[in-house]
Amino acid sequence: MTIVKSDSGIYTPLLQFIMTQQWLSLGPPIAHLARHIAPASFLVMAILIQLTRTRAPCWIAHIVNKQLSSSFRRLIRRSMASDPAETTRFDFLVIGGGSGGLAGARRAAELGAATAVIESHKLGGTCVNVGCVPKKVMWNAAVHAEYLHDHGDYGFDAGNARFSWETLKAKRDNYVSHLNRIYRNNLDKAKIQTIQGHARFTSDPEPTVEVNGRKFTAPHILIATGGHPSVMSDEEVPGASLGITSDGFFELETLPKRSVIVGAGYIAVEMAGILCTLGSKTSLVIRQTGVLRNFDAYISANCTKELQNSGVDLWKNTQVKSVSKTGRGLEVTLVTKDPEKKNDEEKISTIQDVDCLLWAIGRQPNTNGLNISRGINTDERGHIVVDEFQNTSRSGIYAVGDVCGRALLTPVAIAAGRKLAHRLFEGKKDSKLDYSCIPTVVFSHPPIGTVGLTEEEAVKSRGKENVKIYKTSFTPMYHAITSRKSQCIMKLVCVGKEEKVVGLHMQGLGCDEMLQGFAVAIKMGATKADFDRTVAIHPTSSEEFVTMR
Amino acid sequence: MYFAYQINHTGKYDYDLVVIGGGSGGLACSKEAAQLGQRVAVLDFVEPSAKGTRWGLGGTCVNVGCIPKKLMHQAALLGTAVKDAKKYGWQIPGPVSHDWATMAGAVQNHVRSLNWGHRVQLQDKKVKYLNLKGSLADEHTVKGLSKAGKETVLTAKNIVIATGGRPKYPTNIPGAMEHGFTSDDIFWLKKSPGKTSEPAAAHVALECAGFLTGIGLDTTVMVRSIALRGFDQQMAGLVTDYMEAYGTRFAWKSVPKKVEKLPSGALQVTWVDGQTGSEARDTYDSVLWAVGRAPETKALGLDRLNVQLNNATGKIVVGADESTSVPNIFAFGDISEGRPELTPTAIKAGKLLARRLAGQSTELMNYDNVPTTVFTPLEYGCVGLSEEEAERRHGKDGIEVFHAFYKPLEFTVAERDASQCYIKVICERGADQKILGLHFTGPNAGEVTQGFSMGLQCGATYSHLLQTVGIHPTCAEEVVKVGITKRSGLDAAVTGC
């Protein structure tokens, strides 16, 4: 194999591909051309392109053109980068190597754009490093804890099982590192340049970012910097900084004996469920009376009940007043007041010997240090404001994913990033993500699946008389012979005479894997009659959706 | 309800509807009819198996099919979970043993509670339940024979036959019936079947072999020709590959010759290895025959009434509206020719038939796009056409197959081999790329497949899949991410998120 090497030291496998695969048969003096590529790359490239246009079959010309232009630009870019005063140019510059940024970058590169990704931390972003992936690994471990309860009922003598957090963490970290490497390889394979460091927008008239003193620009710049967990400041809650967030959860080296989770959102629910199931005595502190208050009320109430059933010590109408450090851990002081009972005094309580206080009170966009004030609008919480095409208020700059604050989900960021790439580099003007009917799962115990409108939302938008609800609740067959029980609840929200299904909500064993297919059908506009027409798969829990009355 | 009863009471017959067979379909049909105001009786009688196993109301699914099978499958999954748990940081001292009696006892208790539940439901819905063996005397008369030999005669405007089928024994293998048993018996054994040989490879055989292996028994499946006939053969291969890796033994292309009981009490099975042509033998504690099922038509008196049967299968020939060759006699479920032998189709067909007979509807059962799941150790769910059938109907150039080998997240930390976790979406080629068939092997295949089967029912196309946002991290999301065509020859392994 011949590898073409230019004088500036860059391998260009693409050229090699072109020459060995296509051009040998076309007859131009390859060796001669190769010798001249580096010193006169402009001219030679032009000739090469011309040749493919005139002589090669048209599909070859297409590929060669698309890929040549990018590798061609890379050659120029590299030579320019040697001068630090110069600005390096790409077709597409992505700030943030998480789910959305990487997906957008890879798709753009596939479409022929010279692309670079700027990442200050590890590739993969929240999902891979401190989100979905390690979270689900922990959830799986917790599910095993539940299975171990059930083993006796199913005839197994599994003895006294003990859990080693250390073993699990080591394997989890290994897996995450493995994914980091895969991401790195994927970028390298796609010939996307990775720039390590923090990006900061400069005051140049043309949108430009600076990383470690070097300047980069592109006609299209994507901000996909994601977000991070919110924390309470010590001013708001004295001693708050003694606690950790979900990021810190993934650094815990041992299973906390006594945990206090603060928050009522899905992250709080998941963290509390994992810790409690794995054997940590866990308290969950919520400001009101139920968790997941933006979910359908049926789910919110059931999840609150299931948390309590599984042994989580739930503190309703409660907030953390202060945190202090003692010789045996943290002492968390709580204040409880039921707003319904106006005359009641505030009740002060303390939880002692806490070795894990975890704030799960929301997430914030990562915009600090980006210096985006110039022409890029943000909302009151700092999220970058984008239109339906992911355009920010500054031309040539786009944003996807958690930094926009809408549907904070990996697959949403990925889909939005790819759609954008198709719009920018394939000329698909209408390419944009439809944010309706996005299915989502909470890995609680048991898991929750939901897509579309809640009953409350449907009633609000369509009127109570136009909304019809179907509900069921049952004990899944798995629990037919176990002493440990959990319910499965399901709900369909239908609107109009045709009973179009606009919302599907469920919590129970297997709901995590059940949802995806139904999400396809609901996205297609399925009606209750379509559900009824579908033949069941027996015996499953999901069949209850197609046999509901 | 009472008012309706009055209107329908013509006085001419004892009942508007008599259903013979209290299985999934028969019960669904009779309850639905009663709810629509019909006067209904249902006759159910369980003829003990050749080994003497008997059970209660509810038919195959409840007693000797889906329900006990899925529960024992769950037990086997827990067996795998013990191994996985160790990788997830659980320290479990010593080897894990399994006690058949505990599991089977719990399963049998659950089945009995379901039998009772069906009795209560019939009572609640005012369906007359008769524990009698029914047969036809004439077009409107059913004779019921009690266990003690007492005969009861009922007359009905319409008669529905839903007596299902029973497992067959091979007829030409000495010792087969004497020393072996079938799926009618396995779930009701008081003692572990021990080392088991399972001649045949229909889904029942593979499911039983799967859970027996999963609870630690030495199990061999003897396959005459192919496994999972009628299913997509690439998928069938993945299912059996996984089982082989899981510990189930397969004797491929093998034909059993005889079963003998040795003085030790062990059963010696002799078979011919079709690949070498030589005879082989081994000893087992149990031989479980799963060579297929036969309809229960012989004792029904169908010949007297000229109810047309299919000569080859012995099943009742039916029309799209479940009608037989005799106008007021209907048949559906496992006993009717050409229908899928599945509980949910029987239930649905039974309900629709009841509605039509009550004059409430004209809707026919749609037997297309019936989803199903095989609960083997690696579950396999599918809906629509197999790749072979899609090719046969549309031609090799008329279909586009999207596929992916994916790795479930639960397999990664557990260090399990995921080579058989696979997704295949078969679409029409060109134009809309309408989905013709969808196949999925992996954990929770049953739960994954149901929703997608609804998509197919709604006429989903490939782009409908792509337009749906995935749910991360799940196995099901791989279905909406599937992007590599078989035709492209590209590597279909999923990498990264």
Side-chain angles (χ1 to χ4, degrees):
Chain A
M1 287 236 293
T2 46
I3 290 182
V4 180
K5 195 179 177 189
S6 71
D7 286 353
S8 53
I10 298 151
Y11 294 99
T12 52
L14 176 77
L15 280 177
Q16 171 215 343
F17 167 81
I18 295 163
M19 292 178 183
T20 54
Q21 300 295 312
Q22 311 297 342
W23 286 31
L24 283 174
S25 60
L26 298 175
I30 299 301
H32 173 75
L33 273 178
R35 269 201 303 278
H36 288 83
I37 276 175
S41 45
F42 253 102
L43 183 64
V44 177
M45 284 298 172
I47 295 167
L48 291 178
I49 291 168
Q50 195 55 44
L51 276 169
T52 59
R53 279 197 180 133
T54 50
R55 295 218 194 157
C58 108
W59 69 269
I60 296 175
H62 179 66
I63 291 171
V64 168
N65 273 335
K66 231 161 61 172
Q67 304 206 2
L68 254 189
S69 59
S70 80
S71 78
F72 174 31
R73 264 186 285 262
R74 197 167 298 116
L75 286 171
I76 303 161
R77 182 219 325 141
R78 289 292 181 119
S79 59
M80 291 170 99
S82 56
D83 179 356
E86 288 292 334
T87 300
T88 310
R89 285 186 172 277
F90 293 93
D91 296 333
F92 193 41
L93 188 54
V94 178
I95 309 172
S99 307
L102 292 177
R106 285 178 63 192
R107 189 55 55 90
E110 276 172 36
L111 295 170
T115 304
V117 171
I118 305 168
E119 171 59 47
S120 61
H121 190 57
K122 288 181 188 168
L123 285 177
T126 303
C127 169
V128 168
N129 296 292
V130 287
C132 331
V133 170
K135 180 265 307 280
K136 186 150 184 210
V137 169
M138 299 308 281
W139 184 79
N140 281 334
V143 167
H144 280 292
E146 297 180 302
Y147 286 160
L148 287 164
H149 277 286
D150 305 334
H151 271 114
D153 294 321
Y154 271 95
F156 288 98
D157 172 22
N160 294 321
R162 282 193 336 107
F163 175 63
S164 161
W165 179 281
E166 295 74 11
T167 306
L168 177 61
K169 179 169 187 295
K171 302 193 80 163
R172 191 191 75 209
D173 290 349
N174 268 343
Y175 179 61
V176 169
S177 308
H178 167 70
L179 290 180
N180 293 145
R181 281 192 299 275
I182 288 183
Y183 278 102
R184 183 68 210 224
N185 289 342
N186 283 345
L187 289 186
D188 292 348
K189 261 191 277 179
K191 312 233 165 33
I192 295 167
Q193 194 181 345
T194 315
I195 301 162
Q196 191 73 34
H198 287 276
R200 184 175 182 283
F201 279 90
T202 65
S203 53
D204 292 280
E206 187 184 14
T208 302
V209 296
E210 193 180 303
V211 184
N212 301 330
R214 290 167 65 203
K215 282 186 173 183
F216 301 91
T217 189
H220 306 291
I221 300 179
L222 173 62
I223 304 173
T225 46
H228 63 275
S230 308
V231 285
M232 284 279 182
S233 68
D234 284 342
E235 288 76 52
E236 291 165 285
V237 176
S241 59
L242 293 166
I244 58 169
T245 64
S246 60
D247 287 358
F249 172 81
F250 295 111
E251 288 168 20
L252 290 175
E253 295 293 342
T254 54
L255 172 68
K257 287 193 177 63
R258 188 70 179 87
S259 308
V260 175
I261 318 291
V262 188
Y266 84 93
I267 297 171
V269 166
E270 291 181 338
M271 295 284 136
I274 290 167
L275 285 167
C276 177
T277 313
L278 288 177
S280 180
K281 171 134 184 57
T282 304
S283 301
L284 181 61
V285 179
I286 61 176
R287 280 190 297 183
Q288 302 193 27
T289 54
V291 296
L292 303 180
R293 293 190 323 109
N294 55 344
F295 283 60
D296 191 279
Y298 193 41
I299 298 294
S300 169
N302 192 69
C303 184
T304 308
K305 196 183 78 194
E306 287 284 0
L307 276 167
Q308 287 175 292
N309 285 350
S310 66
V312 171
D313 168 45
L314 189 66
W315 291 74
K316 297 179 179 178
N317 300 313
T318 303
Q319 299 187 48
V320 177
K321 193 170 189 297
S322 64
V323 187
S324 61
K325 200 166 189 166
T326 71
R328 292 180 306 168
L330 303 178
E331 182 178 283
V332 181
T333 305
L334 305 170
V335 53
T336 307
K337 178 152 180 16
D338 188 342
E340 304 274 301
K341 297 175 188 154
K342 294 228 161 46
N343 300 327
D344 275 21
E345 292 282 299
E346 281 187 353
K347 207 177 112 219
I348 306 288
S349 327
T350 60
I351 302 177
Q352 312 271 349
D353 305 340
V354 174
D355 46 1
C356 171
L357 168 66
L358 195 155
W359 299 100
I361 52 176
R363 292 181 68 84
Q364 287 176 324
N366 286 336
T367 50
N368 262 356
L370 269 181
N371 191 31
I372 51 166
S373 50
R374 179 182 297 265
I376 299 176
N377 292 343
T378 54
D379 68 12
E380 67 281 3
R381 295 184 51 210
H383 297 122
I384 295 176
V385 178
V386 289
D387 67 8
E388 56 186 336
F389 288 98
Q390 314 295 146
N391 296 312
T392 69
S393 47
R394 189 171 178 192
S395 169
I397 302 184
Y398 319 87
V400 300
D402 290 7
V403 78
C404 308
R406 190 171 175 201
L408 311 187
L409 295 165
T410 292
V412 171
I414 291 176
R418 288 185 182 153
K419 295 275 182 193
L420 177 67
H422 284 285
R423 182 165 72 87
L424 299 179
F425 302 107
E426 207 186 18
K428 292 200 169 164
K429 283 197 178 61
D430 299 329
S431 174
K432 60 169 175 152
L433 178 64
D434 175 1
Y435 280 80
S436 68
C437 289
I438 291 171
T440 178
V441 162
V442 178
F443 287 97
S444 45
H445 299 263
I448 291 167
T450 168
V451 60
L453 303 184
T454 64
E455 180 178 348
E456 296 86 335
E457 288 167 342
V459 166
K460 208 170 155 194
S461 65
R462 297 295 300 266
K464 200 171 173 46
E465 66 284 2
N466 292 316
V467 175
K468 177 140 193 214
I469 302 297
Y470 293 88
K471 279 201 278 197
T472 184
S473 112
F474 58 94
T475 305
M477 204 176 82
Y478 172 82
H479 287 305
I481 64 172
T482 63
S483 49
R484 185 181 69 92
K485 304 281 182 199
S486 72
Q487 282 285 295
C488 185
I489 66 161
M490 295 172 164
K491 181 176 188 175
L492 288 179
V493 181
C494 309
V495 298
K497 232 192 228 127
E498 73 286 8
E499 295 195 4
K500 186 176 172 197
V501 178
V502 294
L504 181 152
H505 311 278
M506 57 182 159
Q507 180 172 23
L509 285 184
C511 286
D512 48 339
E513 294 292 353
M514 249 179 249
L515 182 62
Q516 189 74 70
F518 289 108
V520 173
I522 288 172
K523 181 113 183 143
M524 290 172 69
T527 63
K528 178 64 169 64
D530 291 322
F531 274 73
D532 297 342
R533 257 202 301 280
T534 303
V535 176
I537 301 178
H538 190 64
T540 60
S541 286
S542 54
E543 68 179 312
E544 299 297 330
F545 268 121
V546 298
T547 54
M548 259 185 186
R549 284 205 166 180
Chain B
M1 190 70 85
Y2 184 65
F3 182 66
Y5 178 94
Q6 295 266 310
I7 286 175
N8 283 322
H9 187 74
T10 56
K12 199 172 168 194
Y13 303 110
D14 301 336
Y15 294 96
D16 296 315
L17 176 66
V18 165
V19 178
I20 307 178
S24 310
L27 292 175
C29 180
S30 55
K31 286 186 290 187
E32 184 77 10
Q35 285 206 300
L36 296 171
Q38 300 255 299
R39 292 163 305 132
V40 185
V42 60
L43 280 69
D44 189 58
F45 188 88
V46 179
E47 199 71 55
S49 77
K51 293 284 144 200
T53 309
R54 56 179 78 232
W55 52 85
L57 182 62
T60 302
C61 167
V62 170
N63 295 285
V64 288
C66 325
I67 302 288
K69 170 197 79 188
K70 177 97 189 267
L71 285 170
M72 292 193 180
H73 167 65
Q74 291 287 4
L77 291 183
L78 285 178
T80 309
V82 176
K83 292 176 197 144
D84 288 356
K86 292 177 182 168
K87 301 278 171 56
Y88 272 97
W90 291 93
Q91 292 153 357
I92 298 161
V96 175
S97 60
H98 183 265
D99 180 46
W100 173 275
T102 304
M103 173 189 72
V107 170
Q108 289 158 16
N109 277 340
H110 178 62
V111 169
R112 287 194 189 95
S113 77
L114 295 177
N115 295 147
W116 175 248
H118 282 305
R119 288 284 290 273
V120 172
Q121 276 189 31
L122 289 180
Q123 205 161 15
D124 285 352
K125 297 195 166 147
K126 311 264 185 294
V127 175
K128 179 76 179 165
Y129 164 65
L130 298 161
N131 184 203
L132 300 173
K133 190 173 170 65
S135 62
L136 297 170
D138 64 40
E139 284 119 75
H140 293 287
T141 310
V142 173
K143 276 192 306 188
L145 201 63
S146 78
K147 198 175 159 191
K150 192 169 161 272
E151 197 177 277
T152 307
V153 175
L154 304 99
T155 59
K157 180 162 171 255
N158 291 308
I159 296 169
V160 167
I161 304 169
T163 48
R166 297 287 287 268
K168 285 190 293 198
Y169 280 93
T171 49
N172 54 349
I173 300 173
M177 192 183 267
E178 193 185 348
H179 304 304
F181 57 82
T182 68
S183 61
D184 273 359
D185 309 290
I186 177 92
F187 305 109
W188 295 89
L189 296 178
K190 298 232 165 16
K191 281 200 321 216
S192 167
K195 184 183 174 188
T196 306
S197 166
E198 268 193 56
H203 67 99
V204 185
L206 293 186
E207 289 172 334
C208 290
F211 73 68
L212 293 176
T213 310
I215 59 170
L217 302 179
D218 183 342
T219 311
T220 305
V221 183
M222 206 172 284
V223 187
R224 183 189 283 260
S225 54
I226 58 168
L228 293 178
R229 185 182 297 282
F231 286 91
D232 187 287
Q233 283 301 298
Q234 183 192 9
M235 303 307 289
L238 293 170
V239 166
T240 53
D241 284 353
Y242 183 90
M243 285 180 73
E244 284 196 283
Y246 182 74
T248 309
R249 297 173 206 273
F250 282 83
W252 294 103
K253 311 272 176 234
S254 294
V255 183
K257 279 278 163 238
K258 60 183 173 187
V259 183
E260 296 155 302
K261 193 162 198 159
L262 302 178
S264 65
L267 302 176
Q268 179 173 276
V269 179
T270 306
W271 69 91
V272 174
D273 182 328
Q275 276 153 333
T276 62
S278 59
E279 268 196 9
R281 56 175 59 91
D282 198 357
T283 57
Y284 300 90
D285 301 313
S286 300
V287 177
L288 169 57
W289 296 103
V291 295
R293 299 178 66 85
E296 284 283 274
T297 41
K298 288 193 191 69
L300 286 168
L302 299 173
D303 41 347
R304 278 199 294 275
L305 284 145
N306 291 321
V307 174
Q308 196 193 337
L309 300 182
N310 178 300
N311 286 335
T313 61
K315 292 188 175 190
I316 301 173
V317 177
V318 287
D321 60 351
E322 328 298 348
S323 60
T324 68
S325 52
V326 179
N328 68 311
I329 298 178
F330 301 84
F332 69 93
D334 293 6
I335 197 147
S336 50
E337 177 61 30
R339 301 296 195 219
E341 293 184 357
L342 293 169
T343 294
T345 47
I347 290 177
K348 206 168 186 64
K351 282 185 183 170
L352 290 171
L353 174 60
R355 284 176 211 164
R356 291 194 303 271
L357 292 179
Q360 300 278 328
S361 158
T362 53
E363 187 186 343
L364 295 176
M365 175 67 189
N366 176 5
Y367 287 97
D368 290 336
N369 286 335
V370 171
T372 189
T373 296
V374 184
F375 291 102
T376 35
L378 187 69
E379 297 179 8
Y380 164 36
C382 62
V383 55
L385 304 183
S386 65
E387 192 175 341
E388 294 89 343
E389 183 61 20
E391 252 179 38
R392 200 183 62 76
R393 292 192 197 178
H394 299 268
K396 217 175 168 63
D397 292 332
I399 60 170
E400 193 76 89
V401 179
F402 296 91
H403 67 157
F405 284 97
Y406 70 100
K407 185 156 195 168
L409 186 59
E410 43 271 61
F411 278 38
T412 56
V413 169
E415 294 165 20
R416 277 164 69 184
D417 178 16
S419 339
Q420 288 88 26
C421 294
Y422 181 65
I423 290 159
K424 178 154 86 171
V425 180
I426 302 157
C427 304
E428 279 177 3
R429 196 165 174 210
D432 281 349
Q433 295 188 303
K434 186 168 183 260
I435 302 172
L436 302 169
L438 190 148
H439 304 262
F440 177 98
T441 48
N444 289 304
E447 306 295 2
V448 171
T449 309
Q450 184 73 73
F452 289 104
S453 77
M454 214 188 123
L456 259 73
Q457 188 69 257
C458 298
T461 63
Y462 176 62
S463 65
H464 285 124
L465 286 187
L466 292 197
Q467 280 159 20
T468 307
V469 175
I471 304 166
H472 191 60
T474 62
C475 296
E477 72 174 317
E478 303 299 342
V479 180
V480 299
K481 285 160 63 182
V482 68
I484 304 286
T485 62
K486 268 198 175 174
R487 184 169 276 108
S488 73
L490 295 172
D491 182 9
V494 173
T495 56
C497 291

